Amino acid sequence: MVKKTRPPQRREDSLSRDRIIEASIELLDSAGEGGLTFRALSERLSTGPGAIYWHVANKGDLLVAACDAVIAGVMAAHVDLRADAKTPEDTIRALALGLFDAMDEHPWIGSVLFHSAGALPAVRVLECLGQQVRALGAPAAGEWSATSALLHYILGVGGQNAANRLSAQTRELDRDDFLGEVADAWSALDERDYPFTRSVADALREHDDRGDFLAGIDLILGGIKSQVGTTARKRAVRRS
């Protein structure tokens, strides 16, 4: 007698929002935003789309939830907001580098953060940066501009780094080959029109992505601290 093949076991009874988000992150990491479909997710979870819709409203909701899970993990791993834990500068650097590495590992989160600026993932980052800028003593009138500069620098540079890596992967190039191609193209530019770009072409071949990223963070922090110092001097003059 031929045994009947049992259909794949469905798991609606054990399905949870956390498991859906975990599977979504796996799909996003392997196939990008285009690979995250409810059909692909249903197959991975051995369930039906209806069971997934019970926990999430649509793909946009799912992307934000997946991004928020990654961001929350970065915050838990790199940010300690106890008063005696770190200086505000150290906390900002730790958060910034954690986000840079997260965007490198999960390139899709940069796009989600940009397109869902008012949602919880971006707000988590904004709140942490804002608290640290305030702790640095930035004047109230300059808190937003300083925090916004940090936020957009982190997302912009981190997102561009991730995009570069994806571009290299698509063309089956490693990082050195990718940078070498760009450096060669820059070196071939007309020196009269592009003197600076040509001058840094060789440095591009061996530059440290994370080191350059943190150098930019330090430039912004230096500007904030300079502003704090200027405000303090003006207050001292007014008191005298």
Side-chain angles (χ1 to χ4, degrees):
M1 182 182 293
V2 178
K3 293 184 178 179
K4 293 183 178 180
T5 302
R6 296 179 63 185
Q9 184 177 359
R10 294 190 176 274
R11 297 170 50 185
E12 285 92 338
D13 57 333
S14 62
L15 195 63
S16 68
R17 182 177 172 86
D18 287 345
R19 177 64 191 121
I20 292 170
I21 292 170
E22 179 185 347
S24 298
I25 292 172
E26 292 168 359
L27 277 172
L28 286 161
D29 288 346
S30 61
E33 285 191 38
L36 179 63
T37 65
F38 276 71
R39 179 176 180 178
L41 193 56
S42 297
E43 292 175 356
R44 182 174 287 261
L45 293 168
S46 299
T47 190
I52 298 173
Y53 279 115
W54 179 262
H55 295 278
V56 292
N58 49 49
K59 181 175 177 178
D61 181 32
L62 195 52
L63 280 168
V64 171
C67 181
D68 191 51
V70 174
I71 297 301
V74 171
M75 301 284 286
H78 297 281
V79 179
D80 188 344
L81 296 179
R82 292 176 301 176
D84 60 346
K86 292 179 179 178
T87 65
E89 294 98 322
D90 287 342
T91 298
I92 289 171
R93 290 190 191 98
L95 174 60
L97 196 55
L99 290 169
F100 182 87
D101 291 340
M103 282 186 274
D104 190 55
E105 183 180 356
H106 311 282
W108 50 273
I109 70 172
S111 173
V112 179
L113 286 167
F114 269 120
H115 291 99
S116 305
L120 188 56
V123 173
R124 287 185 192 274
V125 180
L126 178 70
E127 180 63 28
C128 182
L129 291 173
Q131 287 187 29
Q132 301 314 304
V133 166
R134 182 169 289 175
L136 283 170
E143 284 182 353
W144 167 249
S145 58
T147 303
S148 180
L150 282 166
L151 177 64
H152 287 93
Y153 174 82
I154 292 168
L155 298 185
V157 177
Q160 184 61 60
N161 179 72
N164 289 344
R165 186 170 69 80
L166 283 178
S167 176
Q169 285 179 347
T170 300
R171 298 168 57 200
E172 297 184 347
L173 295 172
D174 63 20
R175 179 181 180 277
D176 291 341
D177 290 338
F178 176 78
L179 291 178
E181 279 195 358
V182 177
D184 288 342
W186 287 6
S187 296
L189 293 170
D190 189 323
E191 189 171 10
R192 291 169 299 180
D193 295 328
Y194 302 96
F196 174 78
T197 305
R198 277 179 56 100
S199 72
V200 298
D202 287 337
L204 178 69
R205 299 178 193 273
E206 299 180 358
H207 82 284
D208 179 357
D209 295 322
R210 295 167 95 247
D212 286 354
F213 173 74
L214 283 177
I217 292 291
D218 286 339
L219 284 172
I220 298 174
L221 288 174
I224 295 171
K225 288 188 286 187
S226 176
Q227 186 181 44
V228 170
T230 299
T231 302
R233 287 191 294 272
K234 287 181 179 179
R235 287 174 180 168
V237 169
R238 287 197 295 267
R239 293 194 200 100
S240 60

